[in-house]
Amino acid sequence: MKSILDTSSSRNVENARQLRCGRHLLDLSFPRVMGILNVTPDSFSDGGQHVALDDALRHAERMLAEGAAMIDVGGESTRPGATPVSPQEELDRVAPVVEVLVRELDALVSVDTSCPTVIREASELGAGMINDVRALEREGALLAAVGSGLPVCLMHRQGEPQDMQQSPTYQRPIEEEVADYLARRIAECEAAGLRRNRLLVDPGFGFGKTVEHNLRLLKYMESLQSLELPLLVGMSRKSMIGKVLGRPVEERLSGGLALAAMAVERGANILRVHDVAATVDAVNMAWAVLQEGCEPPLNKEFDA
């Protein structure tokens, strides 16, 4: 494998692209930050904090001002052990938030969902991206995604939230398992009519993986560039930080910033995070080193 610095210039050329997200264009020629907005009572880090519509709006507004290129709205917790919610309950949580973020902030909104009903309704309300931890495997989700016309992020996981952290095991190195799974899902999506230029991939840190799996996956994450698709990464405040550093959720920022910088170095195009302002600085600093310069564009700008 070539070193990271050997491939940075070619990676910059390969990833210089505009991703059509509804009526927005997202510039992925440099790494972007995605702000997390959970409108759930039980998410592992911020459950219940943004359930009220006005609270959600203000938090999204704050993250955009801090440099987030998009807001990822989720109405179903997928933390380990989480209880599933009905499609109607998820829709009731998500739809008003998507609508107000689009109307009031003209935000590029990603919707974190596996539910066909939510995919369809969110696209009608002006969402610009679908972010699915189940990689469109739920019945009807792939058809709904094709019909939405939106880009979709396919994530690797092993198992479901209820059982995914019960002794996850793999027969081969984790990065190979992840790459093969995502390649299969990409092929199935293309066969169903979801064009490749509408796809992104996420290695799924923390979804059916031990701490050792997560650490190795990040170490060798550059190998996922063989899929030739934009790479979205979410490690913010996750238990891998807590277990390595012995830190509770509210004290994991420093560890998360280290992981974000390493992810940028290994080819991440989008960083999904809770702490936007600090991560924007970390991402921009890592990118400046890789580019040997500090000229814009950087994450302080939003491409409408």
Side-chain angles (χ1 to χ4, degrees):
M1 181 184 297
K2 293 182 180 180
S3 74
I4 292 161
L5 292 179
D6 287 340
T7 61
S8 63
S9 296
S10 61
R11 171 165 58 85
N12 186 36
V13 173
E14 291 166 3
N15 287 340
R17 57 177 294 183
Q18 302 284 323
L19 182 66
R20 170 58 64 181
C21 301
R23 64 181 192 281
H24 293 279
L25 278 176
L26 181 66
D27 184 359
L28 291 179
S29 63
F30 63 102
R32 310 310 298 262
V33 171
M34 168 189 276
I36 298 171
L37 180 57
N38 288 319
V39 288
T40 57
D42 56 346
S43 292
F44 81 95
S45 172
D46 55 359
Q49 293 182 19
H50 313 298
V51 173
L53 187 58
D54 190 61
D55 290 341
L57 176 61
R58 296 283 80 82
H59 186 55
E61 190 173 37
R62 188 161 49 249
M63 289 192 290
L64 291 171
E66 291 173 346
M70 70 197 85
I71 304 298
D72 193 44
V73 178
E76 178 189 21
S77 175
T78 51
R79 62 175 173 77
T83 302
V85 299
S86 70
Q88 189 59 54
E89 184 176 3
E90 184 182 353
L91 184 62
D92 289 345
R93 293 173 178 177
V94 168
V97 177
V98 173
E99 185 175 20
V100 75
L101 296 189
V102 171
R103 184 183 69 241
E104 300 293 331
L105 304 178
D106 192 30
L108 170 47
V109 178
S110 166
V111 179
D112 182 359
T113 186
S114 304
C115 175
T117 301
V118 176
I119 292 172
R120 285 190 292 267
E121 292 296 323
S123 65
E124 299 256 338
L125 291 170
M129 184 185 296
I130 303 302
N131 181 19
D132 186 6
V133 301
R134 296 177 179 86
L136 301 178
E137 287 192 297
R138 184 171 283 179
E139 184 177 357
L142 179 51
L143 183 61
V146 172
S148 75
L150 299 179
V152 181
C153 183
L154 308 172
M155 195 193 78
H156 174 274
R157 80 196 190 290
Q158 185 183 86
E160 290 292 328
Q162 295 82 6
D163 60 15
M164 64 186 181
Q165 290 305 109
Q166 296 175 10
S167 303
T169 57
Y170 295 89
Q171 300 304 309
R172 295 180 298 150
I174 184 66
E175 70 277 9
E176 295 178 16
E177 295 269 9
V178 168
D180 285 354
Y181 169 83
L182 291 173
R184 290 194 301 273
R185 291 306 299 151
I186 291 164
E188 288 166 13
C189 287
E190 288 188 286
L194 188 56
R195 295 176 61 185
R196 191 180 187 90
N197 65 359
R198 286 172 52 195
L199 295 175
L200 306 88
V201 292
D202 181 343
F205 289 97
F207 283 78
K209 299 171 183 72
T210 64
V211 173
E212 291 74 19
H213 290 144
N214 288 320
L215 296 176
R216 180 182 173 97
L217 184 55
L218 179 57
K219 182 177 180 179
Y220 295 108
M221 194 180 75
E222 191 183 18
S223 65
L224 298 182
Q225 290 190 49
S226 63
L227 298 171
E228 298 183 334
L229 288 176
L231 182 61
L232 187 154
V233 173
M235 295 179 282
S236 176
R237 301 183 185 175
K238 287 195 172 178
S239 63
M240 62 185 288
I241 304 171
K243 290 176 180 175
V244 170
L245 302 180
R247 298 289 187 184
V249 169
E250 64 273 14
E251 296 179 11
R252 294 177 185 172
L253 176 58
S254 297
L257 296 178
L259 296 178
M262 294 182 76
V264 168
E265 193 179 36
R266 286 158 173 76
N269 300 94
I270 301 174
L271 286 296
R272 182 180 182 272
V273 304
H274 299 86
D275 303 287
V276 170
T279 306
V280 165
D281 281 350
V283 166
N284 287 345
M285 195 70 245
W287 186 245
V289 172
L290 292 174
Q291 299 303 298
E292 300 179 21
C294 58
E295 293 299 315
L298 293 173
N299 277 287
K300 295 299 183 183
E301 299 178 355
F302 175 72
D303 304 294

